[in-house]
Amino acid sequence: ATHRTIVIRPKGEGPFPAMFYIQGMPCESIDYFAPSPFPIRDFLAGIARRGYVVYRMEKSGVGDSNGAPCMDQNYPDETAGYVAGLEDLKKLPYVDLNRVYIFGHSMGGFQAPQLAADDGVAGVVVYGTGSLTWIEYWDANLRRQSAMWTDDPVTEDQVVRRAQLFNANVIVNGMSPKEFFEKF
């Protein structure tokens, strides 16, 4: 797969410190063209104004990236894409290799420390992420989000219980999603 990257580079020759932004779970563009206020875009622009190279990468099948559709990607495959992105960032001639940082937002906050452990970066920052196991995080997040979708606690509970059944069968026991939906 070829992933689209967007790089903001300070003026001058460098070398410059760099920040690799890893987005959360949604399969959406990281182009961030919406008008202000747009918190993530405004945050990244602020980092760039402070003299950092800001590197971001679209997920497989999103925007101008090719490869398998984002929704068909699993966690290891998506993380492997970010590993390749970090390698690409470190090849940019104007990047100070001793000052490369990773910023992980939401789900990216789970992936950022993994990349740092394997590739040695100067630091990791995470925001809006979890400290629970994946399944505990998924349950809590889905319950919170379901409460925003419906005023009916019974419906909310049904949504969460269905997700728990999916997680137990697919994530824990290794059933394929297709098998799950055929059986349940």
Side-chain angles (χ1 to χ4, degrees), residues 13 30 34 41 60 68 70 74 80 122 141-142 150 152 162-163 170 177 179:
E13 293 184 29
I30 45 79
R41 194 239 2 252
S60 180
C70 178
N74 61 31
N141 197 41
L142 185 57
T150 180
D152 178 17
R162 176 95 168 138
V170 175
E179 291 171 321

Coordinates of all heavy atoms in Angstrom, one line a residue, residues 13 30 34 41 60 68 70 74 80 122 141-142 150 152 162-163 170 177 179:
E13 N 16.9 25.6 6.4 CA 17.6 24.3 6.0 C 17.5 23.2 7.1 O 17.6 22.1 6.8 CB 19.0 24.6 5.7 CG 19.2 25.4 4.5 CD 20.7 25.6 4.1 OE1 21.5 24.7 4.4 OE2 21.0 26.7 3.5
I30 N -6.9 12.9 7.1 CA -6.2 13.8 8.0 C -5.7 15.1 7.3 O -4.8 15.8 7.7 CB -5.0 13.1 8.7 CG1 -4.1 12.3 7.7 CG2 -5.4 12.1 9.7 CD1 -3.2 13.1 6.9
A34 N -11.1 21.9 7.0 CA -12.2 22.6 7.5 C -11.8 23.9 8.1 O -10.6 24.0 8.7 CB -12.9 21.8 8.6
R41 N -6.3 20.2 13.7 CA -5.6 20.9 12.7 C -4.9 22.2 13.3 O -3.8 22.4 13.1 CB -6.5 21.4 11.6 CG -5.8 21.8 10.3 CD -6.0 23.3 9.8 NE -6.8 24.1 10.5 CZ -8.0 24.5 10.1 NH1 -8.5 24.0 8.9 NH2 -8.7 25.3 10.8
S60 N -4.6 3.3 5.1 CA -4.8 2.6 3.9 C -6.3 2.8 3.4 O -7.2 2.7 4.1 CB -4.6 1.1 4.2 OG -4.8 0.3 3.0
A68 N -5.7 -1.8 0.9 CA -7.0 -2.4 1.3 C -7.8 -1.3 2.0 O -7.2 -0.3 2.6 CB -6.7 -3.5 2.3
C70 N -9.6 0.9 4.6 CA -9.3 1.1 6.0 C -10.2 0.2 6.9 O -9.6 -0.4 7.9 CB -9.6 2.6 6.4 SG -9.3 3.0 8.1
N74 N -6.6 -4.6 10.1 CA -6.6 -4.9 11.5 C -5.5 -4.1 12.2 O -4.8 -3.4 11.6 CB -6.4 -6.4 11.7 CG -5.0 -6.9 11.1 OD1 -4.0 -6.2 11.0 ND2 -5.0 -8.2 10.6
A80 N 1.7 -1.4 11.3 CA 2.8 -1.6 10.3 C 2.9 -0.4 9.4 O 4.0 0.0 9.0 CB 2.6 -2.9 9.6
A122 N 12.7 10.4 20.4 CA 13.0 11.3 21.6 C 11.9 11.3 22.6 O 12.2 11.6 23.8 CB 13.4 12.7 21.1
N141 N -16.0 2.9 26.0 CA -16.2 3.9 25.0 C -17.5 3.7 24.2 O -18.3 4.7 24.0 CB -15.0 3.8 24.0 CG -14.9 5.0 23.1 OD1 -15.1 6.2 23.6 ND2 -14.6 4.8 21.8
L142 N -17.9 2.5 23.9 CA -19.2 2.2 23.3 C -20.3 2.6 24.2 O -21.3 3.1 23.7 CB -19.2 0.7 22.8 CG -20.5 0.4 22.0 CD1 -20.6 1.2 20.7 CD2 -20.4 -1.1 21.7
T150 N -28.8 7.4 22.0 CA -30.2 7.1 22.3 C -30.5 7.5 23.8 O -29.6 7.6 24.6 CB -30.4 5.6 22.2 OG1 -31.7 5.3 22.6 CG2 -29.4 4.8 23.1
D152 N -32.7 5.7 25.4 CA -33.2 4.5 25.9 C -32.1 3.6 26.4 O -31.3 3.1 25.7 CB -34.0 3.8 24.7 CG -34.6 2.5 25.1 OD1 -34.7 2.2 26.4 OD2 -34.9 1.7 24.2
R162 N -24.1 -6.6 22.5 CA -23.8 -7.2 21.2 C -22.3 -7.0 20.9 O -21.6 -8.0 20.4 CB -24.6 -6.5 20.1 CG -24.3 -7.0 18.7 CD -25.3 -8.0 18.3 NE -25.1 -8.2 16.8 CZ -25.1 -9.4 16.3 NH1 -25.3 -10.5 17.1 NH2 -25.0 -9.6 15.0
A163 N -21.7 -5.9 21.2 CA -20.3 -5.6 21.0 C -19.5 -6.5 21.9 O -18.4 -7.1 21.5 CB -20.0 -4.2 21.2
V170 N -14.7 -12.9 18.5 CA -13.8 -12.6 17.4 C -12.4 -12.2 17.9 O -11.4 -12.8 17.5 CB -14.4 -11.4 16.5 CG1 -13.3 -11.0 15.5 CG2 -15.7 -11.9 15.9
P177 N -15.0 -12.4 11.7 CA -16.2 -11.6 11.7 C -17.3 -12.2 10.9 O -18.5 -12.1 11.2 CB -15.8 -10.2 11.1 CG -14.3 -10.2 11.5 CD -13.8 -11.6 11.3
E179 N -17.9 -15.4 10.3 CA -18.5 -16.5 11.0 C -19.4 -15.9 12.2 O -20.5 -16.5 12.4 CB -17.4 -17.3 11.7 CG -16.6 -18.2 10.7 CD -15.4 -18.8 11.3 OE1 -14.7 -18.2 12.2 OE2 -15.1 -20.0 11.0

